[in-house]
Amino acid sequence: MINRDNNPWRPLPAPNIDWRDGIPVSREFDDVYYSTDNGIAESHYVFLEGSQFLSHSKEKRLTIAEIGFGTGLNCLVALNAWLDQSNQRAPDSTLHYVGFEAQPLTKAQLQRAWEKWPTLSHLATRLIRDWPQATHGCHRLYWPNWNITLDLWWDDAQQAMNDLASRRQRYFNIWLLDGFTPARNESAWSPSIFSTMAALSRKGATFATFTAAGDVRRGLTAAGFTVQKRPGFGVKREALSGQLDTLKETPQASGITPWDLTPKMIPPKKAVIIGAGLAGSFAARALAERGVAVTVLEANAVASGGSSNLQGITYTRPSRRHGVLADFALASYQIATRLYNQLLGTTLVEGVDGQRCGYLQVTEDSETLDYLKQFADCDLPFRVLNAEKASDELGAPLTQDALFFPDASWLHPAAVCHERLSHSRIQLHEFCGNCDFGSSTAGWQINDSLGNRYDSDILVLATANQLTEASETAWLPLQTIRGQTTHVPATESSSGLRTAFCHEGYLAPPRLGIHCLGATYGPQDTALDERPADHRINLQKLASALPSVSFSTTEAAISGHVALRCTTTDYLPVVGPMPNRPAFNACYASLKAKKTRFIDEECPTLPGLFVLAGLGSRGLTAGPLAAEILVSDIMGEPSPVPRYLQQALAPARFLKRGIVRGRPL
């Protein structure tokens, strides 16, 4: 299992590439990224034909893994072939493609590589647009119009595959082995790689590769694959292909107690979600896009709770060291910015529902700024700017260096909720009042305050602080944070602002002539009254950080909004299955004596009950990734995050922590 905790944060280095007749060649491995004869023809023959792609393409949920993603040529050839088969498969079938790459190309290198293949430009344009920056981890790209999910793991393939294998699930139908030649890149062709492939493969999974090296053939055979030689492509004399006919019993062996894993379940056909704020809206959309019929029940109106602010900003804060807070914040920021940049100008109205404007972060943490400056030439989600360049980006004078995040947006949370809930498989019921629920033989039964009953395979609770009112979830250590934002009309001094500005608070560019700034921070304060003193605090903080921008301070000019945010005691969301608390405490009681003890017992859960809550003030940023983590788990898909992050979000973490500390909840 990957664990980066407290390691120094560093981006991945860009590969050193030479270009020979437009074909990229790795200097380190002295090997081409694809055939010099015809890369597309090679992909079709070696990888699609070799893996029996057409016979797999009719699968309802086809999942492909590629070791050595490179330029993405094999991926886009496979995606194109799958799209061409649309008349021969179920209309709601999906393709999930997982690529492993330890040295991802820069976007500029990728763009140059794809100039050679205009016939796939309809796919290459999207890949280039969404290409992730050079940060470790899994980067999920989702193209809903085609029902395609692309997970790009920028990590060592063995480490990432081990992490997936630790979840005890068999995900893959097809393996494409396309690392650099085994003679120069042994780690991508090791016996442990092949045994992990087998552990992650479904019965009948196939593989294909360009090489026929003896060590590769013997390693795959030892892992349980039936291996055949076939004629190679171009100058290659032979290539290998094969399949896994028999599933070996894999040792539960990660040696990691499965306290965080959802027991295997049949993917649901129906789901009920209680709560139509950002958390519930993102979860509903993620389920609906996977073919699940979703009913959303909201006590009041959509986005009437903590998601009711006028504006919010997609936000993260880089750190000098890895840690679950920093790593989740950066991963969620990247998937959120990809999503909103697709929606703005299409289903979200630019300037009304949101705006891609970037944001500048000023900070007194000069050590972190100095540390991050060394990565100025790397492809990252942020840049360190000196005061002069930061002032130019902001459109107002600054006297200190700042971090600039060019892909960020401000958004109107209610508009995002409505957009996410606008789907043919989602039924929304507002003003239902409080709901009660209970398990049944068929799943869950939910009753609203109007006397309506809903039956569902699964139930997702996205009710923020109201989770403490249900017996099943009352023990979760949630806390309420009162936040008041201030709304002021744009002025001459604020009209030139080009980006959002973050300091101790934030200032967004105006929405329909009104700026939103704030917000105050009031732990355990549940009062919803609007306070003039809090407006003064917001304005004073902004004046101190950005004195060149001023607003009218008359009472007539100032209004605002109060919302209660829900967070946890460790400031991370709760995402995942609800454990059965008494059974969990009994099952894992011996962790008190030794927290690293391996207990090979499935996590006791309340079957079919899940939660997504505790997003705090980061709902716009954390919500998309949190929903993908939850729904991937429910549907039995590969996770979009390493397991250490999923553990950090699991509701059961608080129970495990209590046992280890000798104070069970």
Side-chain angles (χ1 to χ4, degrees), residues 16 23 47 58 82 125 382 399 432 470 485 617 638 663:
N16 291 317
I23 295 173
F47 294 105
K58 298 177 180 63
W82 186 78
T125 299
F382 56 83
T399 58
C432 295
T485 53
S617 61
R663 299 190 297 273

Side-chain angles (χ1 to χ4, degrees), residues 77-413:
V77 168
L79 267 53
N80 194 55
W82 186 78
L83 291 171
D84 284 345
Q85 296 291 312
S86 60
N87 293 330
Q88 300 178 41
R89 51 184 170 80
D92 57 348
S93 57
T94 61
L95 172 57
H96 196 140
Y97 197 105
V98 181
F100 303 101
E101 180 57 64
Q103 294 187 354
L105 302 181
T106 65
K107 184 173 284 193
Q109 290 171 332
L110 183 74
Q111 201 155 6
R112 183 172 177 181
W114 275 99
E115 290 172 357
K116 192 173 180 65
W117 310 114
T119 57
L120 292 174
S121 61
H122 59 298
L123 290 165
T125 299
R126 290 205 183 188
L127 182 64
I128 293 165
R129 178 196 69 184
D130 296 340
W131 190 247
Q133 288 108 342
T135 58
H136 285 278
C138 179
H139 302 269
R140 175 158 290 182
L141 282 56
Y142 181 50
W143 300 334
N145 292 345
W146 294 330
N147 285 351
I148 290 172
T149 300
L150 178 55
D151 284 349
L152 298 179
W153 280 84
W154 290 170
D155 266 310
D156 173 79
Q158 181 70 78
Q159 292 182 20
M161 290 165 61
N162 285 348
D163 196 274
L164 286 174
S166 76
R167 328 279 178 120
R168 306 183 176 198
Q169 297 263 20
R170 294 183 176 274
Y171 299 115
F172 297 109
N173 307 99
I174 293 174
W175 289 89
L176 309 181
L177 310 184
D178 198 21
F180 292 117
T181 181
R184 303 188 188 100
N185 187 26
E186 293 180 6
S187 64
W189 306 89
S190 67
S192 59
I193 283 274
F194 303 141
S195 62
T196 310
M197 282 172 52
L200 286 166
S201 295
R202 297 173 184 166
K203 187 175 182 179
T206 56
F207 78 86
T209 183
F210 63 87
T211 185
D215 286 346
V216 173
R217 177 174 51 81
R218 288 186 289 272
L220 286 163
T221 301
F225 289 91
T226 302
V227 182
Q228 300 95 28
K229 287 184 180 179
R230 58 195 294 260
F233 181 84
V235 298
K236 298 280 187 183
R237 189 174 64 183
E238 293 176 316
L240 298 178
S241 63
Q243 64 186 46
L244 189 70
D245 294 316
T246 304
L247 299 181
K248 291 183 178 179
E249 190 68 31
T250 56
Q252 299 302 349
S254 56
I256 304 167
T257 296
W259 62 266
D260 56 309
L261 300 183
T262 303
K264 291 180 183 177
M265 56 183 284
I266 298 172
K269 294 181 179 179
K270 296 189 299 181
V272 167
I273 296 176
I274 303 179
L278 288 165
S281 300
F282 284 121
R285 185 59 172 254
L287 283 164
E289 287 177 336
R290 287 158 170 87
V292 180
V294 183
T295 300
V296 178
L297 307 177
E298 168 55 48
N300 298 298
V302 169
S304 56
S307 304
S308 57
N309 282 336
L310 182 66
Q311 289 175 293
I313 297 168
T314 48
Y315 178 88
T316 188
R317 177 166 281 190
S319 173
R320 285 170 285 162
R321 291 193 171 275
H322 285 284
V324 290
L325 278 166
D327 291 357
F328 177 72
L330 187 57
S332 58
Y333 171 82
Q334 290 175 284
I335 195 171
T337 52
R338 275 195 294 274
L339 172 66
Y340 298 131
N341 291 339
Q342 291 175 28
L343 301 183
L344 285 166
T346 54
T347 53
L348 291 176
V349 179
E350 188 89 31
V352 177
D353 298 332
Q355 180 186 355
R356 179 175 170 175
C357 57
Y359 80 86
L360 276 163
Q361 173 73 57
V362 294
T363 175
E364 300 304 318
D365 185 0
S366 58
E367 288 187 25
T368 295
L369 282 180
D370 289 342
Y371 179 80
L372 296 175
K373 285 177 183 177
Q374 66 182 300
F375 308 122
D377 295 331
C378 297
D379 188 15
L380 294 174
F382 56 83
R383 302 197 301 270
V384 181
L385 303 182
N386 62 31
E388 181 181 358
K389 290 183 178 178
S391 300
D392 290 341
E393 290 289 353
L394 181 61
L398 291 173
T399 58
Q400 62 188 106
D401 295 352
L403 281 167
F404 179 50
F405 298 80
D407 295 328
S409 304
W410 70 257
L411 294 138
H412 182 46

Side-chain angles (χ1 to χ4, degrees), residues 307-637:
S307 304
S308 57
N309 282 336
L310 182 66
Q311 289 175 293
I313 297 168
T314 48
Y315 178 88
T316 188
R317 177 166 281 190
S319 173
R320 285 170 285 162
R321 291 193 171 275
H322 285 284
V324 290
L325 278 166
D327 291 357
F328 177 72
L330 187 57
S332 58
Y333 171 82
Q334 290 175 284
I335 195 171
T337 52
R338 275 195 294 274
L339 172 66
Y340 298 131
N341 291 339
Q342 291 175 28
L343 301 183
L344 285 166
T346 54
T347 53
L348 291 176
V349 179
E350 188 89 31
V352 177
D353 298 332
Q355 180 186 355
R356 179 175 170 175
C357 57
Y359 80 86
L360 276 163
Q361 173 73 57
V362 294
T363 175
E364 300 304 318
D365 185 0
S366 58
E367 288 187 25
T368 295
L369 282 180
D370 289 342
Y371 179 80
L372 296 175
K373 285 177 183 177
Q374 66 182 300
F375 308 122
D377 295 331
C378 297
D379 188 15
L380 294 174
F382 56 83
R383 302 197 301 270
V384 181
L385 303 182
N386 62 31
E388 181 181 358
K389 290 183 178 178
S391 300
D392 290 341
E393 290 289 353
L394 181 61
L398 291 173
T399 58
Q400 62 188 106
D401 295 352
L403 281 167
F404 179 50
F405 298 80
D407 295 328
S409 304
W410 70 257
L411 294 138
H412 182 46
V416 173
C417 290
H418 281 287
E419 191 280 337
R420 292 287 82 188
L421 292 169
S422 179
H423 191 283
S424 61
R425 293 193 186 95
I426 298 175
Q427 288 191 343
L428 170 65
H429 300 274
E430 297 178 273
F431 304 104
C432 295
N434 292 330
C435 298
D436 60 62
F437 54 86
S439 60
S440 67
T441 55
W444 288 85
Q445 179 180 309
I446 302 94
N447 300 288
D448 67 20
S449 64
L450 304 178
N452 300 307
R453 169 179 161 173
Y454 308 87
D455 294 299
S456 181
D457 300 329
I458 65 167
L459 172 61
V460 179
L461 302 178
T463 52
N465 295 299
Q466 281 70 47
L467 283 172
T468 57
E469 298 172 7
S471 60
E472 294 87 348
T473 53
W475 55 268
L476 287 170
L478 305 178
Q479 56 182 345
T480 300
I481 308 291
R482 179 188 180 277
Q484 180 172 311
T485 53
T486 299
H487 304 163
V488 290
T491 64
E492 184 177 352
S493 64
S494 73
S495 60
L497 294 178
R498 291 190 284 270
T499 74
F501 178 68
C502 295
H503 50 108
E504 286 185 69
Y506 69 89
L507 169 67
R511 175 183 183 267
L512 303 178
I514 301 295
H515 288 281
C516 177
L517 60 102
T520 58
Y521 182 83
Q524 305 306 328
D525 185 347
T526 59
L528 292 172
D529 59 308
E530 190 178 327
R531 301 169 187 171
D534 283 2
H535 289 316
R536 288 194 293 272
I537 290 171
N538 287 335
L539 289 164
Q540 287 165 2
K541 285 182 178 179
L542 178 63
S544 176
L546 194 62
S548 63
V549 173
S550 60
F551 298 102
S552 172
T553 57
T554 63
E555 284 192 25
I558 298 174
S559 62
H561 179 72
V562 177
L564 303 180
R565 312 170 200 140
C566 172
T567 187
T568 62
T569 51
D570 60 11
Y571 299 101
L572 283 163
V574 279
V575 181
M578 274 307 298
N580 181 321
R581 181 173 54 148
F584 186 100
N585 285 337
C587 181
Y588 300 126
S590 60
L591 293 176
K592 176 184 176 182
K594 185 180 180 183
K595 67 180 181 180
T596 58
R597 185 190 303 275
F598 176 47
I599 303 172
D600 191 14
E601 295 290 340
E602 196 172 69
C603 176
T605 63
L606 299 172
L609 182 63
F610 299 85
V611 295
L612 199 169
L615 302 181
S617 61
R618 303 283 179 259
L620 286 166
T621 307
L625 180 55
E628 284 297 309
I629 292 169
L630 176 71
V631 174
S632 293
D633 205 22
I634 290 170
M635 303 302 292
E637 301 171 353

